Amino acid sequence: MPLNKAYIGRRFGPAEPYDVSRTAVQRFVDAIGDDLPVYASTAAAQAAGYDTIPVPPTFAIILVSESPDHHPIFEPEFGMQYDRVVHGQQEFIHHRPLRIGDRITITAELTDISTRGRNETVTIETQLVDEAGEPVCTAINTLVSRGTAPKEGAE
Amino acid sequence: MTRTSSAPNEVAVGTQLPPMTVRITRETLVKYAGASGDFNLIHWSDRAAAAAGLPGVISHGMLTMAEAIRVVTAWTRDPESVLRYRTRFSRPLVVPDTDEGVQIRVTGEVTAIDDDVITVAISAFERDGELLSGAQADVRLPH
């Protein structure tokens, strides 16, 4: 089943804001096994000139995938089969560093669905904004839905 | 100037960042699933991976992306130096259920310099080939 192109341009969010915590950041750092000293403790971070432990460059993916219940790609009418989906591309544009203590509002837009062969590619642009309304990060991801495009000539 | 620089304030186009190797095991995948909230079954269940037509349990692309940028942050020693980071995921990384798991070799090369912001092209190579394609980061140099 092809994806529902009526979803192009669909905006979603915000749901509840995401609070960036030291615990979540350190759990992420531990998972990726990063031994950079500034991640080890608040004291180490402050000795290096940070107010708090800095946040790894790809931590923002957690916010991008936050609240999947509200995500239109999980609506049955969109027609996406989760087990056919692979991550195609990812980009983070950090307008300023994401920091522990930030309360982030997340909105997103499904900007494109394109077809290459039998695969369909969905592009989603997510905006992370802080409590002052200032942009923190723009994340652009593309998901590849394998084998769901119509066979050539079938449309 | 050396071609491999451990000093970010001495860079030129073509400068190689110090390479690093990273090991990923099934335990890494489980920990990353918990830390990231991505519980897609293909990242931990052999049955689910096979049903999806994959050769085995595969790593989260985002885990590979997180590991690959370490070549930059280990060099600048500043996670906040990364202004922009993008990649395509060129092929899945199968992680066998062994003690050794898989090993990734990450390299970075300076491809552009614009005042205090440099562009680094990043490669993440595993035995069977390159995992990322077009991976690059814009990085602010320390003053």
Side-chain angles (χ1 to χ4, degrees):
Chain A
M1 272 288 284
L3 300 173
N4 184 350
K5 299 235 178 1
Y7 275 72
I8 297 174
R10 184 79 67 96
R11 291 166 188 275
F12 45 103
E16 292 270 335
Y18 182 96
D19 296 318
V20 181
S21 74
R22 180 183 57 79
T23 311
V25 169
Q26 286 193 306
R27 186 170 294 153
F28 187 88
V29 168
D30 178 57
I32 63 176
D34 198 331
D35 56 4
L36 197 67
V38 292
Y39 291 135
S41 68
T42 303
Q46 288 174 344
Y50 302 90
D51 292 334
T52 58
I53 292 169
V55 174
T58 65
F59 180 88
I61 195 65
I62 297 174
L63 286 72
V64 170
S65 46
E66 180 72 357
S67 305
D69 294 348
H70 302 283
H71 211 296
I73 67 168
F74 293 98
E75 291 175 7
E77 303 79 51
F78 183 51
M80 184 169 257
Q81 293 169 259
Y82 198 39
D83 61 358
R84 285 181 172 273
V85 174
V86 294
H87 201 165
Q89 296 182 43
Q90 183 67 47
E91 176 167 10
F92 297 100
I93 302 159
H94 294 289
H95 307 295
R96 67 135 168 107
L98 186 62
R99 294 209 169 94
I100 289 170
D102 277 336
R103 170 163 287 188
I104 300 293
T105 297
I106 305 156
T107 56
E109 179 179 354
L110 197 160
T111 57
D112 189 48
I113 301 172
S114 61
T115 302
R116 183 182 290 179
R118 293 293 321 273
N119 295 338
E120 293 182 283
T121 299
V122 181
T123 304
I124 297 167
E125 202 171 304
T126 304
Q127 306 292 347
L128 310 186
V129 173
D130 67 16
E131 279 192 291
E134 295 297 324
V136 175
C137 179
T138 301
I140 303 161
N141 56 324
T142 67
L143 303 172
V144 179
S145 175
R146 293 176 300 143
T148 56
K151 282 198 180 73
E152 218 161 313
E155 221 170 11
Chain B
M1 169 163 318
T2 56
R3 300 303 283 173
T4 296
S5 174
S6 57
N9 56 355
E10 281 184 12
V11 293
V13 170
T15 296
Q16 305 284 327
L17 276 55
M20 63 188 301
T21 55
V22 175
R23 186 171 297 286
I24 292 178
T25 65
R26 287 285 177 91
E27 183 185 7
T28 320
L29 301 189
V30 171
K31 288 171 79 171
Y32 187 80
S36 69
D38 182 347
F39 295 105
N40 193 327
L41 278 67
I42 61 173
H43 302 308
W44 54 269
S45 163
D46 288 298
R47 280 186 302 126
L54 295 164
V57 162
I58 62 167
S59 168
H60 308 74
M62 284 309 304
L63 172 58
T64 307
M65 191 176 186
E67 299 291 3
I69 196 64
R70 290 175 57 196
V71 79
V72 170
T73 56
W75 179 63
T76 61
R77 306 184 74 77
D78 178 14
E80 297 186 348
S81 64
V82 178
L83 306 179
R84 185 179 184 131
Y85 179 28
R86 69 169 175 229
T87 190
R88 289 189 295 277
F89 301 101
S90 39
R91 69 176 182 86
L93 172 63
V94 175
V95 180
D97 187 9
T98 60
D99 290 343
E100 298 76 30
V102 291
Q103 191 163 290
I104 302 173
R105 179 178 165 81
V106 185
T107 59
E109 178 179 337
V110 177
T111 56
I113 301 176
D114 181 6
D115 199 12
D116 65 341
V117 176
I118 63 169
T119 302
V120 178
I122 297 167
S123 156
F125 192 87
E126 191 261 341
R127 195 184 50 191
D128 295 330
E130 180 60 43
L131 301 170
L132 304 177
S133 115
Q136 65 172 50
D138 291 345
V139 180
R140 178 176 289 133
L141 295 174
H143 295 290

